[in-house]
Structures are given as structure tokens and as C-alpha cells.
Amino acid sequence: KFDGTVPDTMTVFDRLGPLFECCDAIEECPQPVIAAVHGKCVGGGLDLASACDMRLCTEDAVFCLKEAGIGLVADMGVLQRLPHIIGQGFTRELAFTAAEFSARDAERMGLVNGVYADVKSLEDAARKLALRIASIAPLAVSGTKHVLNSGRFEHSKPFVRGVIMLSDALALGMR
């Protein structure tokens, strides 16, 4: 039972920690991970997609970082990951406006590597990309991923607990 106190917030973090860590697990996977997005990619979906190495989507995909729009601070790493993917300006626009962005907007931002007409085309493209990566020396691919990822987030993980506490405090203040 959550009563809104700081110790209780820490208990919530301890219980939800594995959920938050799922994005880290995707990012830390030694093999490249490809997100194939169709439909809405909102909140936690965007957290998961941003943890992937590459993102592809269908023409009808919509991307949104909704947390600020509902009085929360995004807390699964998306605010730390997106600036490396799309830059500070687009990240701040996504985060501060809670607006929905089309697949073409996401492509223009650099959030997705390609936009496809339908789910079948998307799945085919994701499979083709995965097979291309799989044809490369596995140690070279995993080593390259490790170098690309190294140091990017070593300073952000301690802040997650603070962000969760801030989100909880904001949510409590809105009641």
C-alpha cells in the first residue's frame, strides 16, 4: 500500500526496479536489437524503443513521450537515451509538449531508420537488417556495440531513483 512518504516511494522503486531495468537489459544486450514499431509508441513503448539500437516503423506509427502531459517525469531512461539518438532540441520538444509525432516526423528527427508502408514490409525490412548484421563477424559487432555504448549512461543510473521520487511527489501534489 502506497502512502506517499519518501520511504514508501523507495519501496515502490524496489518493487518496480525490474520493470525499469528491462530497458537497460535491452541496451546492454551484446547483440544489436531492432525495434519494429507499428501503431502507437507512447510512454513505456518509447522507453523500450529508445533502448534498441535501431528503430523501424510503419507509416501509421505515432511516437509520444506522454509523461509530462500527465504530470510525471519519464523514468525508464528515455530522457537519457533520446538526446544521443535525436539531439537535445527534438528530445526537449517530445518531453515538454507531450505531443504526438508521425512516422515521418520521427524519421526526420532521426528517431527511426526507415518508414514502411505496412506491417509486412516492416517485418521484412527488420528481418533483412537483422540478417545483414548476422552476416558480420559476431565479435566485431558486439565489440562495436560495446564501444558505442560505453560511458553513455554511467552517470545517469543514480538519478533514476531521484526522478521516480520527483514523479511521485508531482503526482501527489496534483491530487
Side-chain angles (χ1 to χ4, degrees):
K1 184 173 176 171
F2 181 68
D3 67 9
T5 63
V6 173
D8 199 43
T9 300
M10 301 304 268
T11 302
V12 169
F13 176 80
D14 291 337
R15 284 196 319 258
L16 296 178
L19 175 63
F20 300 145
E21 291 166 4
C22 72
C23 292
D24 292 339
I26 291 169
E27 183 176 61
E28 293 165 4
C29 175
Q31 294 78 30
V33 178
I34 302 166
V37 177
H38 61 94
K40 292 205 178 232
C41 185
V42 178
L46 189 53
D47 282 282
L48 288 169
S50 71
C52 296
D53 298 289
M54 293 150 282
R55 288 148 300 282
L56 309 174
C57 72
T58 56
E59 194 73 55
D60 67 342
V62 174
F63 298 84
C64 179
L65 191 55
K66 197 64 132 181
E67 284 82 347
I70 58 172
L72 300 173
V73 177
D75 54 10
M76 289 174 56
V78 70
L79 296 176
Q80 291 79 26
R81 289 182 178 96
L82 281 180
H84 295 283
I85 299 167
I86 62 174
Q88 285 286 338
F90 287 132
T91 298
R92 289 169 189 267
E93 185 177 353
L94 274 166
F96 298 155
T97 66
E100 292 187 349
F101 291 85
S102 71
R104 292 296 171 190
D105 289 335
E107 183 178 44
R108 179 179 52 81
M109 292 175 184
L111 181 58
V112 297
N113 297 52
V115 178
Y116 299 89
D118 53 39
V119 174
K120 170 101 172 73
S121 303
L122 172 66
E123 290 172 349
D124 290 346
R127 187 174 295 105
K128 181 178 177 183
L129 180 56
L131 290 171
R132 172 71 181 130
I133 293 167
S135 74
I136 306 298
L139 289 176
V141 171
S142 63
T144 299
K145 179 174 176 171
H146 177 76
V147 170
L148 288 169
N149 284 350
S150 65
R152 281 181 46 197
F153 304 110
E154 62 189 49
H155 300 295
S156 65
K157 289 182 183 181
F159 295 112
V160 171
R161 192 175 290 253
V163 168
I164 292 167
M165 288 174 22
L166 176 59
S167 269
D168 289 343
L170 289 171
L172 288 171
M174 296 179 69
R175 290 185 192 165

